[in-house]
Structures are given as C-alpha cells and as structure tokens.
Amino acid sequence: MAYFLETLIAGLFAGLMYGLVAIGFVLIYKASGVFNFAQGAMVFLAALVFVTLVERGINFWVAFAATSALMVLTAVVIEALVLRPLRNRDPLTLFMATLGLSFVIDGAAQFFLGTDVHMLDLGIEDIAQDYGGLFISWFDIVASLIVIALVVVLALVFSKTRMGVSLRAVADDTLAAQSIGIRLPVIWRIVWSVAGIVALIAGLLWGARQGVQYSLSLITLKALPVLIIGGFSSIPGAIVGGLIVGASEALADIYLGPLVNGSVSTWFAYILAVAFLLIRPAGLFGDRDIERV
C-alpha cells in the first residue's frame, strides 16, 4: 500500500509540473484561440538564458529579473513581427506561424548560447525524505507549492483586474471586445509576456530536474494530452488535467508496464487523451459548445 501511495503521490507531483507548462498554452489560447506550439521553445529559451547568466556569476534574483525582462521583450517582438501581420488570419495559419516560431527560438537560443547540457541548482534538495512512512522528494513538495501559488496569483489577476476582464472579453468575442475599445495587440503583448514568465518558472523547475537542454522544448508534446483532458481555455483545467496525466501514467508504468515488457509512460497519456476526445471533446473544463460542433 505504501508503494502504491508513493507512486501515486509522485505522479501527482509530476502532474502539477505538467500543468505548469500547460498554463502557458492556456493563457495564449484564451486570448487568441491558437495552440501556441512555441511555448516549449520559450521554456527552453528562458531556462537557457537564466542558467547562462547564473554560470557567469550573476545573482539568482538579478538573473531571474533579467530573464523575465527578456521574455517580455520577446513577447513584444513576437506580437509586432508575427501576430500583428496575421491578426485576421484563420487559427490554422496562426498555429503554423507558432510552429515556425518554435524552430526560430530553438535555433537562436542554441546559436547564441550553445548546445551544451547545463545542470541547474535551485538550492532545493531532490532527495526523498520520510513523511509518515512515505518517501517523498522535498523538491516535489516545493515545486508543487510554487505551482499552486502561481495558479492562485493568475486566478486573482484574471478575475480581479481590468486586464483580466479585458482578456475574458477577448476570449468570449474578439470583435465585440475590439468594438468597445479593447486593443487586441496590447492584450496579446500582455498575455505572451505572462506566458513567457510562466515558461521561465517551468523551465527552472524542469531544468533543475533533468538539466537545461534542448529536450525542454519537447515538453510541448506532454502538455498536449493535459490540455485535451483539462480543456484548452481553463487554468484550473490545466492543473486537473496535469494531475490526471501524471497520476495515471505513473500508476500505469508500474502496473501495466510489466504486462507489455516495457515502459508505458511515454504513450499512455495520449491513449487517455484520445479516450477523452471520444467522450468529452471539450475537456473537463472546456467550452461545451465545442461538443456541439
């Protein structure tokens, strides 16, 4: 029983990390209706810039502030050079633009900062400790608290501030929002900037766990089933979807893996996502209108 609980808890913690990545996708999808394939590249870019600054002797918080500023600048440039010229194009065109953008960001990051794997130490021990007979990593606990705090902050910002009201208006009806004076380019810059900060936090946590390397960009693939299950337009949905994916793939790897003589964690989440597409296409927290299309 203890082994089952340890596996389940470890999966839930991993799921929160998946949900953190998925939040960046949700923010941009809510503002533009587009799946931002470049979010994974932004995670990689932010983590690589941060670890490079730290390795050169820059203070942790100064490096964090500098990297955050760079992600905001990146958002402004993307809005001006990519989103604004394609503002009235269909979502497929915008998706293809973000796909190309992901290669540009990945290539630029490795061209200017190198392709080496960097170890990132956040000062948080990744060692399992005994908590009432269950061995749980302190890193997982801290990372989960960070994710929960971020979700609370974003929920307050988007429910209590003028910017949040504007974002919801754009998400509900873009043309109506523009007709009452909401400037879509400004909303896009803000949302992409926030998604960039979320990418930085995700990049630091994932980079500390597995090293800062190109594979961080591929985290996009893990976020996709999370979004399908939780819903593309819901921050709580991203967290719940992440928890479901993390827990289910951890348990499946232990109990189904031996039956197929190998790991199932690399593909089990996608089987689960397909099942949700058949049963509830909009996801647990998605727009029910999608199901009637």
Side-chain angles (χ1 to χ4, degrees):
M1 186 62 180
Y3 182 62
F4 170 82
L5 290 176
E6 288 177 359
T7 302
L8 176 62
I9 293 172
L12 291 173
F13 283 142
L16 284 173
M17 297 270 282
Y18 295 152
L20 174 60
V21 177
I23 286 173
F25 292 90
V26 169
L27 292 172
I28 293 176
Y29 187 85
K30 284 174 68 70
S32 61
V34 175
F35 179 78
N36 175 30
F37 199 87
Q39 186 67 21
M42 293 170 64
V43 170
F44 172 56
L45 171 65
L48 185 57
V49 170
F50 177 86
V51 74
T52 299
L53 293 176
V54 169
E55 289 177 346
R56 295 182 179 179
I58 305 298
N59 174 269
F60 179 97
W61 293 110
V62 174
F64 186 89
T67 307
S68 299
L70 174 64
M71 298 311 294
V72 172
L73 177 61
T74 300
V76 173
V77 172
I78 289 173
E79 189 280 323
L81 299 183
V82 179
L83 299 179
R84 193 181 304 173
L86 300 176
R87 180 165 53 185
N88 296 319
R89 300 296 182 90
D90 59 278
L92 179 59
T93 299
L94 287 170
F95 168 75
M96 295 303 295
T98 66
L99 178 61
L101 183 63
S102 69
F103 289 102
V104 172
I105 294 175
D106 282 334
Q110 294 179 89
F111 179 80
F112 289 106
L113 300 176
T115 58
D116 295 335
V117 177
H118 301 263
M119 301 309 298
L120 178 58
D121 183 11
L122 299 179
I124 307 171
E125 290 187 345
D126 194 5
I127 301 174
Q129 301 182 25
D130 188 352
Y131 295 92
L134 299 176
F135 287 88
I136 303 172
S137 170
W138 176 242
F139 180 90
D140 285 338
I141 295 175
V142 174
S144 299
L145 292 175
I146 292 173
V147 174
I148 293 171
L150 180 63
V151 170
V152 171
V153 170
L154 289 175
L156 291 175
V157 168
F158 289 118
S159 64
K160 302 297 183 180
T161 67
R162 181 176 180 181
M163 189 271 288
V165 173
S166 298
L167 174 60
R168 295 202 305 274
V170 170
D172 290 339
D173 192 323
T174 301
L175 294 178
Q178 290 179 287
S179 69
I180 60 174
I182 296 176
R183 299 177 60 189
L184 190 58
V186 174
I187 294 296
W188 277 354
R189 284 196 292 269
I190 293 173
V191 169
W192 277 75
S193 296
V194 175
I197 305 301
V198 172
L200 171 57
I201 297 173
L204 295 186
L205 294 177
W206 278 103
R209 172 58 61 84
Q210 64 184 36
V212 178
Q213 52 189 315
Y214 172 72
S215 62
L216 285 179
S217 294
L218 304 180
I219 205 166
T220 301
L221 302 178
K222 185 62 73 172
L224 183 56
V226 172
L227 293 167
I228 291 174
I229 293 171
F232 280 82
S233 60
S234 171
I235 291 177
I239 298 301
V240 173
L243 292 173
I244 292 174
V245 168
S248 61
E249 71 176 15
L251 294 175
D253 215 23
I254 297 299
Y255 295 104
L256 295 182
L259 300 179
V260 297
N261 296 320
S263 174
V264 303
S265 61
T266 55
W267 52 263
F268 186 80
Y270 301 98
I271 299 297
L272 195 61
V274 170
F276 267 84
L277 282 175
L278 295 175
I279 298 171
R280 189 181 176 89
L284 294 174
F285 293 81
D287 186 355
R288 293 300 296 272
D289 291 337
I290 294 176
E291 300 183 4
R292 295 192 290 269
V293 174

